[in-house]
Amino acid sequence: MTLSERNNDLMMRRREKEIKDETTLRAVIRQSLVCRLGLCDGYRPYVVPLSFGYEDGYLYFHAAHEGKKIEIIRRNNSVCFEFDANAEIVESEEACDWGMRYKSVIGFGKAVIVDDVEEKRRALEIIMKQYSENSFSFSDQSVASTTVIQIEIESMSGKQSGY
Ligand SMILES: Cc1cc2nc3c(=O)[nH]c(=O)nc-3n(C[C@H](O)[C@H](O)[C@H](O)COP(=O)(O)OP(=O)(O)OC[C@H]3O[C@@H](n4cnc5c(N)ncnc54)[C@H](O)[C@@H]3O)c2cc1C
């Protein structure tokens, strides 16, 4: 079963706008600059924009060792995430005819803090791959001073409008 097929809880109202194929879903993620990560702090939601990497059904983030998102993930690792790409305003004469062209992805998953040094290094390479075609190396010190978050994607849906 593909990630977009595990979407029983994600029935989209405008089905004609749904992105159904995995290749396009992955392309939207690849074209996105930032991931908005949604966390549950008890009954209070917390959304934080982050740079990211994506590979084989997993998302990766790097962060400082401390901070609100890390504290929340340690208490509750259920997350929601959002990406969007190619957003453009569609202008018109009438205010009600203005719109937005976009492609976006919303998904759900479970976050874990990665401890293994080699896995952390690999995650940092995946994050850099999102933003650069160059390859980079990471010193033991920079790996040690970084917290890496891995999200196993459980399901995701895609939507496009105006494309
Ligand atoms: C485009 C973009 C890319 C980023 N990439 C990364 C990344 O790869 N790794 C990373 O660690 N951080 C990144 N950041 C910063 C990130 O959004 C957080 O500010 C940072 O991770 C600290 O989060 P925290 O939960 O530890 O906040 P804390 O430092 O614990 O602060 C908590 C409080 O500060 C406020 N706050 C925190 N972050 C923001 C924010 N971005 N804007 C406004 N108020 C805020 C909130 O009110 C929150 O309650 C990025 C930000 C942007 C906009």
Side-chain angles (χ1 to χ4, degrees):
M1 192 188 294
T2 65
L3 292 169
S4 56
E5 284 166 346
R6 290 187 217 153
N7 269 348
N8 295 334
D9 58 337
L10 301 176
M11 285 298 279
M12 196 173 291
R13 192 174 49 84
R14 300 287 300 272
R15 295 306 295 259
E16 78 282 4
K17 295 191 173 186
E18 188 172 0
I19 300 172
K20 293 205 174 81
D21 71 293
E22 294 275 319
T23 309
T24 311
L25 281 179
R26 278 197 296 272
V28 175
I29 294 175
R30 287 293 304 165
Q31 288 163 19
S32 296
L33 187 62
V34 61
C35 175
R36 294 177 189 88
L37 185 65
L39 306 170
C40 310
D41 187 12
Y43 289 107
R44 198 170 205 206
Y46 180 58
V47 176
V48 65
L50 295 169
S51 314
F52 70 96
Y54 170 78
E55 195 173 275
D56 295 337
Y58 290 87
L59 293 171
Y60 297 92
F61 305 94
H62 78 296
H65 290 315
E66 306 296 331
K68 187 165 176 168
K69 66 182 173 306
I70 299 291
E71 284 167 30
I72 297 173
I73 286 170
R74 289 190 196 283
R75 289 194 296 270
N76 182 350
N77 72 342
S78 285
V79 304
C80 179
F81 57 84
E82 187 271 351
F83 296 96
D84 54 79
N86 311 120
E88 284 174 15
I89 292 172
V90 180
E91 296 186 15
S92 188
E93 290 293 312
E94 298 295 325
C96 292
D97 293 331
W98 280 55
M100 187 71 83
R101 253 193 292 273
Y102 62 84
K103 296 180 182 178
S104 56
V105 168
I106 292 182
F108 299 88
K110 291 280 187 293
V112 292
I113 308 291
V114 177
D115 290 323
D116 181 82
V117 174
E118 285 317 308
E119 274 185 56
K120 283 175 76 174
R121 207 182 292 277
R122 197 178 142 264
L124 295 173
E125 285 165 6
I126 292 169
I127 294 167
M128 290 309 298
K129 232 168 63 184
Q130 174 69 22
Y131 299 99
S132 171
E133 289 177 356
N134 300 335
S135 53
F136 297 87
S137 57
F138 302 92
S139 68
D140 292 346
Q141 195 193 349
S142 58
V143 174
S145 64
T146 304
T147 287
V148 168
I149 304 160
Q150 179 197 58
I151 290 173
E152 182 176 6
I153 299 175
E154 295 173 333
S155 64
M156 57 182 176
S157 59
K159 185 172 175 181
Q160 60 186 354
S161 187
Y163 284 102

